[in-house]
Amino acid sequence: MFEIAYRGTAYHGYQVQQNALTVAEVLQNAIETVFKKREGIVGCSRTDTGVHANQYFFHMLTESGIPEEAAVIALNNCLPNDIAILSCREVPMDFHARYSVQYKEYLYKIWDAPVRNPFLEGMALHNRRRLDEKLMDRCAREFLGEHDFIGFCSSGGKTHDTVRRMAEASVTRQGDLVEFRVMGNGFLYNMVRIMVGTLLLADLGRLKEGDITRILASRDRNQAGVTAPAAGLYLNRVIYGPDALTGGCFEKEQG
């Protein structure tokens, strides 16, 4: 299993697509160079065009005898600067990078100032008016628990089960940077970006406490906000269950 991070600006998401450059295609090109075979890889999640990942996992089955540390070095030598292999480890045969996931945490960054930050171009949404992050945080907490999130899903999603459980949801501020974090056992198509677009209604005076609870109950996409741009979204953390990997829960942050 490989742990990676990537800046998604130049890519049409993670998953391989026809006639579009993706993270998976670039990874497989590097794997083919290093392992002398185009091994199949399975990622932990799909990400949309322009979405970034602070932590992402994929697994592959290989008979190669290349040591893990050597594989990390060799692959990084073949990859562009916007994709990095962070680590590599052997996992049980029944491990699955996607289906063994227990929780995923997403992060959305908003640069909240009249003047844009050139160092966050393509990495955060620019909002020119001061946001009420405390109101947004109170509203975000209404996402907590188990709900039917069909009202926060774009058309085109392929899943029929739209119930998800959110374990964490918060909005914080550090200077001019506002961050929305949400952790759940699964996410629907564009779900986090619609969550953000709904929370941003507070900026227009169109969101008050209780509104998100009402929108969830309505199951009506038209009552939620717009889909926020992809540039501010990060897959931030991926957590596997205690039995998924040898040695217990493989979590990047254990405190």
Side-chain angles (χ1 to χ4, degrees):
M1 178 182 71
F2 292 85
E3 179 187 9
I4 69 172
Y6 58 84
R7 174 175 175 155
T9 306
Y11 304 102
H12 289 258
Y14 172 82
Q15 199 74 10
V16 171
Q17 300 180 33
Q18 291 185 349
N19 305 317
L21 183 66
T22 66
V23 175
E25 179 184 347
V26 174
L27 286 169
Q28 285 190 298
N29 291 342
I31 288 168
E32 187 172 13
T33 298
V34 173
F35 290 83
K36 309 305 179 186
K37 183 179 179 182
R38 199 171 185 82
E39 305 279 16
I41 61 176
V42 178
C44 65
S45 179
R46 291 177 177 267
T47 58
D48 293 336
T49 299
V51 174
H52 318 292
N54 289 327
Q55 185 181 51
Y56 190 98
F57 293 97
F58 71 88
H59 77 258
M60 73 177 190
L61 186 63
T62 180
E63 296 179 354
S64 171
I66 299 176
E68 294 165 358
E69 292 184 4
V72 171
I73 294 171
L75 287 171
N76 279 326
N77 286 337
C78 297
L79 289 168
N81 290 336
D82 52 8
I83 302 176
I85 305 291
L86 304 180
S87 66
C88 170
R89 64 177 294 179
E90 186 175 354
V91 291
M93 286 294 294
D94 60 354
F95 171 82
H96 194 284
R98 178 182 176 187
Y99 297 125
S100 297
V101 171
Q102 187 175 41
Y103 286 101
K104 289 185 285 189
E105 179 185 78
Y106 282 91
L107 169 68
Y108 196 96
K109 295 185 178 184
I110 303 168
W111 180 250
D112 186 32
V115 178
R116 67 183 180 274
N117 183 335
F119 299 104
L120 290 177
E121 180 63 28
M123 306 300 289
L125 172 67
H126 180 207
N127 188 78
R128 292 178 173 81
R129 296 191 298 184
R130 194 73 170 179
L131 294 168
D132 185 347
E133 75 280 359
K134 293 182 179 179
L135 171 60
M136 292 171 68
D137 180 60
R138 294 195 298 271
C139 291
R141 294 178 188 278
E142 296 175 35
F143 289 124
L144 293 172
E146 188 169 272
H147 307 281
D148 187 341
F149 281 92
I150 193 170
F152 290 83
C153 176
S154 292
S155 60
K158 297 179 180 180
T159 182
H160 298 291
D161 178 11
T162 54
V163 175
R164 298 291 185 272
R165 183 175 64 255
M166 298 299 112
E168 295 180 10
S170 64
V171 177
T172 58
R173 175 187 292 278
Q174 293 183 345
D176 289 328
L177 188 64
V178 174
E179 295 184 340
F180 170 57
R181 291 175 186 265
V182 60
M183 179 187 291
N185 66 347
F187 293 86
L188 306 176
Y189 182 43
N190 285 341
M191 178 172 152
V192 179
R193 292 166 60 188
I194 297 171
M195 286 175 156
V196 173
T198 304
L199 290 171
L200 286 172
L201 292 175
D203 182 42
L204 305 173
R206 293 170 49 197
L207 185 72
K208 62 182 184 298
E209 291 182 63
D211 282 351
I212 286 177
T213 299
R214 173 182 55 77
I215 296 169
L216 286 165
S218 76
R219 304 177 73 250
D220 183 359
R221 172 68 184 89
N222 293 323
Q223 294 193 31
V226 300
T227 303
L233 183 60
Y234 300 71
L235 177 56
N236 194 50
R237 196 155 56 116
V238 180
I239 299 173
Y240 290 99
D243 299 325
L245 296 159
T246 302
C249 181
F250 185 73
E251 181 178 346
K252 191 174 183 180
E253 296 179 7
Q254 290 282 358

